[in-house]
Amino acid sequence: MRCKKMVDVGRRQFLRGGALAAAGAAAATVTTTPAQATPANAQVDYPSGKLANVADLAVNEPMDIEYPDADSPGVLIKLGQAVDGGVGPDGDIVAYSVLCPHKGYYMSYNSEDRTMNCPGHFSRFDVEAGGQQVWGHATQNLPQFTLRVDDNGDIFAEGASDLIFGRPSNVL
Amino acid sequence: MAYKRQIDRLPIPPKDAKVHNVTCHYCIVGCGYKAYTWDRNKQGTLKDNAFGIDLGEQQNADGTWVAPSMYNMVKQDGKDVHLAVVPDQECVVNSGLVSIRGGRMAENRPSKVTGTQQQRLSDPLVWRNGTWQPTSWDDALDLVARVTARIVTEGSEDDLLLSMFDHGGSAGGYENTWGTGKLYFDSMKVKNARIHNRPAYNSEVHSTRDMGVDELQYQYSDYEVTDTIMIIGANPLETQTNLFLNHMRKGLENGAKFIMVDPRRTVTVNAAEEVAGAENVLHLAIDPGSDMVLFNALFTHIVDQGWTDSDFVTNSTFASGEAVAEDAAHPAGLGSLDYALATCRTSTAEAAEICKVDEADIIKAAEWIAKPKDGARRKCVTAYEKGVIWGNDNYRTVGSIVNIALATGNIGREGGGCCRLGGHQEGYYRPSDAHVGRPATYVDQLLISGGGKVQHVWACDHYKTTLNASQYKRAHRKRAEMVKDAMDASAAGSREQQVDAIVAAVNAGGLFVVDVDIHHSQIGQNAHVILPACESNEMNLTSMNGERRLRLSEKYMDRYGNSLPDCLIAAKLAQNMERVLRDMGDDAYADQFKGYDWETEEDAFMDGYNQGNPDVTYERLRAMGNNGVQEPVQGFEDGKLVGVERLYMDGKFTRHGRDDGKALFCAASWRGLQAPGKEQERATHKFWINNVRANIFWQNQFLDKDNDFIQDRFPYPFIEMNADDMAEMGLNAGDLIEIHNENGTTQGMAYPTDTAARGQVAMVFGSPTGSQGNVVNPGVNELVLPDYKHTWGNIRKLADATPAAKAVSFKSKEYTS
């Protein structure tokens, strides 16, 4: 089955960069707390996870990440030119989920035109335009992780812009 | 920066959520979904929920997932309830796949809680005091009936211009086509009628029907077991998304070859190459309008090589000579294979020259279609759509396609088929339209030239979706304004005085416009009475998809405000006509409007479709679920409705009504660009203006103008353009440009596209902010089928990209592995 093979290729491409485990808090339980328990906050509490240091990143070489937990693969990219929503000294570092928000297939990064591409059903997303779906079947743009860079250049993920495929809550 | 939903969790449907069968009402494929509804104060948990799976675990690819667009909060039995509309894994049409349209059914429902689709009409509106004022159904329909009754009795029913949908899904369906059909074709005999996307009441595929072949005769699984898929003037990955992904794709994975006939390279071609390998995909990028020449050459080559299915031709097609002569109602003669070939005969060399493609590729296409494979007959599915239906010389071109399918025995057999791909679902059940005549009236021209006095518009917006739209709009607005002025001037008078004033205005050249729609449309700006309709799932609705799969899409929410199903609006209008005509003393005519005592849409279904198909009831369809039954329904056995996989499996062809059951071939004689004015337009303008579809809002753009996710992607209609052409004109990505020719102007944003040929642009059709129809000339064929596709114009820059356009990605739409 060609389709499955292609998914595997996509997965390998991401493992190639070496996964960095998300540090930080364990996921908080929030969605279905019984009435008698402590009331949940209105907003999901995201863990703060260190992804990398600015110095670890080379322009246009994606790094595999996992956020908000190990079951949610993502990608961290230094684009080389500032973009809306980019962080770091050059305003060019972005991070996204790599599960296609259509049917959850692992996507591949096309470094030539800087898009994420889904082998499942041919959707593609522009990482230079906030993850906007260039063409495809997803009904939302690519979940983008909210990043913070501290004084040491450490990059932390601390939130997500959209619901990640395959979960009713970004933090499970 | 792209639009962010900023949603990071969703309510979970509980185990006891109500579950409803839903067929997506947007495109013809009709994917199956399940709608879950549950009380506002209830929710499921990660472990205990309606899906019966552990939602605390990350779901795998293809796993069950409710995207935020699949969720909303709507009214059900007067109460706010949660709603999740989720693709159905068990539906054979889509097997759990979701399109960018169907996946947004929930968020495109009207909700006062979440604020979605507040553009929907909630009450009848009547032009009063210089604007549209809300009123009751009784008040609005009294005015409509009084004016209409006066006009058709003082003049004739020919003074009533009618625009009405004829399709399924969305606003159509068997209930609503019957309600409107009974009113206008039974109680009345309105002949000056047109359909939502063409300026007359006619078939888009007369020739295939005249040849005996219904245009939807296969089933979708035929793509999975065929040797070759030939797609003509269509872009199924965008416009029949899950037909491509769930059926064509399987065929390609099973080794099928793929032929695409289209001047433009599309994402469909790219995806086919990804799946099958480029060596198994043949894109014939023919010169615009030359399709018939290509098919005539393929037909000729296949016959000359002896690759026809001689048993099929002998047993199932007309044997000798001419069966139907060319005349005013038949733009080509029909008859035997030899008879047709005498006219169609075209060499591959001639075709290569006219179509501007390699002769070797034409020969390769013929081989892929018909050359015996391992000593056995080759199977080929052919599908076509607007590229030829809205193309050059519709009758003959469609006929030339069906010729090949008949010659190769590819109709009525597994792995075969020669079908249109379709736009909406189908759902046509109406009394005879024989009184309309053939050719039918070119209603737009009648209106433009001052004909007609009252216009009833049902779910059509000709401002966005007709040809020669610039002229149409000017005439329509001018005539409607005369009536608005008369209504304003007589506002203080009695109803009788106002009707007198309206009648005087229309007798002086005005037009009284009644618009039935779900929202206040652009043509509705000229309306005097606006009547609010509802959509599928706000009512029960039956339709059939592109493989004739009939389903009941169930009502799961309340109608918005005071809106009603179209069939019940038609019934109320009929009842008002009866009352008014009786008051006028015309009892005989009033009696024609009896028989509309329907309380529900099911009553309309039973009065119409069930009369012709007595086995089919709501209860039985509900039990058949999202897989439904493939029409025509043959009976009811063992608690199930029984349908048919494909038509003509017995080799007898009946669509033309001939007793001999023999299919006819079409003598498709090439005559260049057939429609008046096209050749001259081509000669005098720089760009070919193709009109195209985009999966993102195909069939639901009227809703998506109120959808932030969609508007963020395409704030203006895109116009795909070759980068060198743009550079030459000093254009940058996103610049607002205007297309202009003698017919009018339209505008959009330039989308640089490296696969666009120089001198060819592709503008998305039907946009609320740039009607491509403005620049399409009035040219039609003998049966009033418009040629939207062949339009030439010049282009000029209007403005630099706006901030909204600058935020848009202009990267290639083609997936790259």
Side-chain angles (χ1 to χ4, degrees):
Chain A
M1 293 288 287
R2 186 182 171 84
C3 155
K4 289 221 168 70
K5 271 192 223 151
M6 292 169 82
V7 175
D8 288 342
V9 169
R11 186 178 292 122
R12 278 198 300 278
Q13 275 178 333
F14 279 95
L15 295 174
R16 183 183 41 137
L20 293 180
T29 303
V30 288
T31 46
T32 56
T33 310
Q36 64 271 26
T38 310
N41 293 331
Q43 189 169 307
V44 165
D45 283 321
Y46 281 90
S48 176
K50 183 183 167 189
L51 305 178
N53 187 279
V54 169
D56 300 332
L57 296 175
V59 171
N60 206 22
E61 287 187 15
M63 176 181 285
D64 287 356
I65 57 169
E66 292 165 348
Y67 183 81
D69 55 59
D71 290 332
S72 173
V75 65
L76 180 69
I77 313 172
K78 180 177 173 61
L79 294 168
Q81 56 187 30
V83 292
D84 276 350
V87 299
D90 303 320
D92 66 341
I93 299 170
V94 292
Y96 297 95
S97 167
V98 296
L99 297 183
C100 180
H102 173 224
K103 295 302 286 183
Y105 285 64
Y106 274 78
M107 295 195 286
S108 307
Y109 182 63
N110 177 340
S111 59
E112 230 170 85
D113 77 350
R114 302 183 178 201
T115 53
M116 300 297 300
N117 288 265
C118 180
H121 310 95
F122 318 112
S123 301
R124 63 199 324 256
F125 302 83
D126 187 344
V127 299
E128 294 181 306
Q132 186 173 61
Q133 184 168 239
V134 182
W135 189 91
H137 317 287
T139 56
Q140 63 185 40
N141 295 313
L142 195 54
Q144 181 168 10
F145 299 138
T146 307
L147 301 180
R148 175 176 63 84
V149 180
D150 72 9
D151 294 343
N152 300 324
D154 286 340
I155 306 165
F156 296 85
E158 299 187 329
S161 67
D162 289 270
L163 195 62
I164 297 164
F165 178 86
R167 40 181 76 196
S169 169
N170 277 344
V171 177
L172 289 170
Chain B
M1 182 111 157
Y3 170 70
K4 312 287 192 190
R5 289 185 182 272
Q6 306 296 2
I7 289 174
D8 41 25
R9 84 186 145 188
L10 283 179
I12 295 173
K15 196 154 56 179
D16 61 353
K18 285 189 216 165
V19 186
H20 317 256
N21 294 322
V22 171
T23 304
C24 176
H25 52 293
Y26 295 136
C27 93
I28 185 159
V29 179
C31 295
Y33 286 75
K34 293 283 187 188
Y36 297 84
T37 56
W38 66 100
D39 290 347
R40 165 69 186 93
N41 61 343
K42 297 287 193 316
Q43 61 183 328
T45 68
L46 294 175
K47 302 273 187 206
D48 189 24
N49 54 64
F51 304 125
I53 57 176
D54 183 358
L55 294 172
E57 292 179 356
Q58 170 72 38
Q59 301 301 306
N60 291 323
D62 293 326
T64 296
W65 182 54
V66 182
S69 63
M70 299 176 193
Y71 171 80
N72 209 337
M73 188 170 288
V74 298
K75 280 264 193 285
Q76 184 184 75
D77 300 327
K79 291 190 296 189
D80 290 323
V81 295
H82 298 273
L83 166 71
V85 185
V86 184
D88 182 359
Q89 308 273 0
E90 305 303 318
C91 176
V92 296
V93 175
N94 56 312
S95 304
L97 285 173
V98 51
S99 77
I100 192 170
R101 303 170 297 280
R104 295 186 293 110
M105 274 189 282
E107 75 169 9
N108 270 346
R109 311 277 21 165
S111 170
K112 289 199 186 284
V113 177
T114 60
T116 52
Q117 291 299 323
Q118 293 303 291
Q119 62 167 334
R120 288 286 302 274
L121 292 168
S122 61
D123 293 281
L125 304 171
V126 171
W127 180 261
R128 282 191 175 111
N129 318 315
T131 187
W132 295 273
Q133 298 281 8
T135 188
S136 67
W137 280 102
D138 285 346
D139 180 48
L141 288 175
D142 177 72
L143 181 61
V144 173
R146 282 173 185 253
V147 173
T148 304
R150 278 279 296 277
I151 294 303
V152 299
T153 53
E154 289 178 9
S156 76
E157 289 173 350
D158 293 350
D159 293 323
L160 173 54
L161 305 183
L162 176 61
S163 295
M164 65 178 181
F165 57 83
D166 69 338
H167 52 73
S170 205
Y174 288 115
E175 294 79 359
N176 294 328
T177 57
W178 175 249
T180 47
K182 184 172 179 174
L183 175 60
Y184 295 107
F185 290 173
D186 186 20
S187 298
M188 291 186 266
K189 294 286 180 200
V190 175
K191 75 168 195 200
N192 290 326
R194 61 158 288 173
I195 296 172
H196 64 287
N197 67 354
R198 51 195 187 273
Y201 202 85
N202 51 10
S203 167
E204 288 188 297
V205 288
H206 276 301
S207 53
T208 188
R209 293 179 180 183
D210 291 349
M211 294 163 78
V213 181
D214 190 273
E215 65 272 22
L216 298 174
Q217 81 286 137
Y218 62 13
Q219 65 176 0
Y220 285 166
S221 66
D222 284 320
Y223 287 104
E224 300 171 23
V225 295
T226 192
D227 296 309
T228 298
I229 297 169
M230 177 158 71
I231 304 293
I232 302 156
N235 184 9
L237 181 57
E238 300 235 37
T239 53
Q240 294 84 18
T241 302
N242 292 329
L243 169 57
F244 183 92
L245 292 174
N246 200 36
H247 302 285
M248 294 184 189
R249 179 184 190 147
K250 285 177 184 156
L252 297 175
E253 286 169 348
N254 288 335
K257 308 275 192 193
F258 191 86
I259 303 169
M260 171 66 80
V261 181
D262 189 337
R264 166 180 174 243
R265 179 180 166 91
T266 60
V267 290
T268 299
V269 176
N270 182 61
E273 289 174 351
E274 285 292 332
V275 177
E279 69 279 12
N280 292 311
V281 176
L282 178 60
H283 176 205
L284 294 167
I286 59 170
D287 199 46
S290 65
D291 309 63
M292 193 197 311
V293 179
L294 173 70
F295 302 126
N296 281 344
L298 292 172
F299 179 37
T300 305
H301 191 74
I302 286 166
V303 173
D304 288 353
Q305 296 296 316
W307 296 339
T308 54
D309 186 327
S310 51
D311 287 348
F312 179 90
V313 171
T314 302
N315 295 326
S316 295
T317 70
F318 188 72
S320 62
E322 181 177 84
V324 179
E326 182 179 331
D327 61 20
H330 301 86
L334 308 171
S336 68
L337 186 153
D338 291 340
Y339 163 83
L341 187 59
T343 299
C344 296
R345 180 163 284 286
T346 304
S347 72
T348 51
E350 285 174 280
E353 191 179 333
I354 293 172
C355 300
K356 298 192 172 83
V357 293
D358 285 346
E359 184 181 2
D361 282 343
I362 298 175
I363 292 168
K364 186 196 273 188
E367 290 173 353
W368 284 9
I369 294 166
K371 187 178 180 183
K373 186 179 159 192
D374 305 324
R377 182 184 152 267
R378 200 181 281 255
K379 293 177 282 187
C380 177
V381 190
T382 302
Y384 56 93
E385 196 37 57
K386 289 289 184 283
V388 289
I389 286 176
W390 281 5
N392 176 33
D393 217 345
N394 166 300
Y395 192 92
R396 296 182 185 181
T397 300
V398 172
S400 71
I401 295 168
V402 180
N403 280 346
I404 298 171
L406 286 173
T408 55
N410 270 308
I411 300 179
R413 289 173 169 177
E414 185 180 59
C418 183
C419 297
R420 70 174 297 181
L421 282 169
H424 298 89
Q425 284 189 77
E426 302 291 328
Y428 191 94
Y429 195 83
R430 277 180 175 150
S432 167
D433 62 356
H435 63 280
V436 169
R438 177 171 157 173
T441 313
Y442 190 160
V443 175
D444 285 16
Q445 293 295 344
L446 180 64
L447 186 150
I448 288 167
S449 63
K453 294 179 178 177
V454 175
Q455 185 188 33
H456 291 186
V457 182
W458 294 77
C460 300
D461 194 350
H462 309 319
Y463 262 54
K464 294 178 299 194
T465 55
T466 197
L467 69 168
N468 193 26
S470 301
Q471 191 184 14
Y472 183 92
K473 285 185 266 200
R474 286 197 302 277
H476 197 266
R477 187 168 56 239
K478 185 176 170 189
R479 297 186 63 191
E481 282 297 325
M482 293 170 68
V483 176
K484 283 183 180 172
D485 287 345
M487 291 176 79
D488 288 343
S490 63
S494 65
R495 171 60 47 99
E496 289 74 15
Q497 288 168 321
Q498 183 151 63
V499 170
D500 286 343
I502 292 169
V503 170
V506 301
N507 284 333
L511 186 70
F512 180 73
V513 180
V514 181
D515 186 32
V516 187
D517 211 323
I518 61 168
H519 64 113
H520 197 170
S521 66
Q522 293 187 358
I523 199 171
Q525 301 296 316
N526 296 338
H528 307 98
V529 178
I530 297 172
L531 303 173
C534 63
E535 276 197 304
S536 185
N537 306 129
E538 299 156 22
M539 63 178 290
N540 294 291
L541 195 73
T542 53
S543 304
M544 75 169 199
N545 78 348
E547 55 177 348
R548 308 172 319 285
R549 192 175 295 278
L550 168 66
R551 270 100 29 111
L552 170 66
S553 191
E554 293 180 287
K555 177 178 178 176
Y556 58 66
M557 63 182 283
D558 297 348
R559 302 164 187 160
Y560 189 63
N562 212 3
S563 65
L564 286 173
D566 292 80
C567 55
L568 298 186
I569 298 173
K572 276 181 175 289
L573 179 51
Q575 288 161 350
N576 275 273
M577 288 291 289
E578 183 191 355
R579 176 181 57 79
V580 167
L581 287 164
R582 225 171 276 292
D583 286 350
M584 290 165 66
D586 196 341
D587 279 338
Y589 197 16
D591 286 345
Q592 292 178 211
F593 294 87
K594 285 180 164 179
Y596 293 88
D597 51 343
W598 306 332
E599 296 290 324
T600 66
E601 57 271 25
E602 186 171 7
D603 294 340
F605 181 84
M606 295 306 286
D607 188 62
Y609 188 89
N610 176 267
Q611 293 297 310
N613 303 272
D615 287 316
V616 184
T617 63
Y618 269 21
E619 186 187 357
R620 290 175 179 182
L621 280 175
R622 196 172 282 122
M624 297 299 285
N626 280 336
N627 287 333
V629 57
Q630 284 174 278
E631 296 190 67
V633 174
Q634 305 294 296
F636 183 70
E637 291 170 15
D638 303 328
K640 288 185 174 171
L641 291 166
V642 180
V644 292
E645 297 167 12
R646 57 184 74 78
L647 307 182
Y648 315 127
M649 288 189 290
D650 60 358
K652 297 204 181 330
F653 290 88
T654 52
R655 191 63 177 82
H656 44 26
R658 291 173 61 87
D659 292 336
D660 64 3
K662 304 292 188 194
L664 306 176
F665 288 84
C666 176
S669 176
W670 169 247
R671 48 181 161 169
L673 292 177
Q674 169 271 327
K678 298 292 185 186
E679 287 288 9
Q680 190 189 355
E681 197 173 277
R682 169 154 66 179
T684 52
H685 296 86
K686 186 170 177 187
F687 290 96
W688 175 48
I689 315 296
N690 192 0
N691 71 75
V692 301
R693 312 293 177 274
N695 70 329
I696 190 166
F697 42 40
W698 155 244
Q699 296 293 29
N700 40 336
Q701 211 169 170
F702 52 94
L703 294 173
D704 286 336
K705 64 186 165 73
D706 193 32
N707 185 295
D708 295 323
F709 168 63
I710 302 303
Q711 290 305 309
D712 174 72
R713 177 69 187 107
F714 292 124
Y716 314 106
F718 64 76
I719 301 175
E720 294 177 358
M721 198 168 175
N722 177 283
D724 292 336
D725 282 338
M726 287 180 62
E728 199 172 274
M729 298 175 66
L731 294 175
N732 294 310
D735 283 355
L736 299 184
I737 57 175
E738 185 171 63
I739 297 169
H740 58 103
N741 62 15
E742 289 66 29
N743 310 304
T745 65
T746 189
Q747 74 175 75
M749 67 176 181
Y751 198 115
T753 302
D754 56 8
T755 54
R758 289 208 69 169
Q760 299 190 354
V761 299
M763 178 172 183
V764 71
F765 188 78
S767 170
T769 54
S771 171
Q772 198 269 342
N774 288 356
V775 293
V776 178
N777 89 352
V780 294
N781 81 347
E782 292 88 341
L783 299 180
V784 202
L785 265 299
D787 184 359
Y788 289 91
K789 287 280 184 179
H790 297 102
T791 294
W792 284 266
N794 294 326
I795 291 177
R796 58 194 172 206
K797 179 173 171 174
L798 291 175
D800 288 338
T802 65
K806 277 186 180 148
V808 165
S809 176
F810 287 100
K811 291 179 180 172
S812 167
K813 297 170 186 172
E814 290 195 7
Y815 164 85
T816 52
S817 54

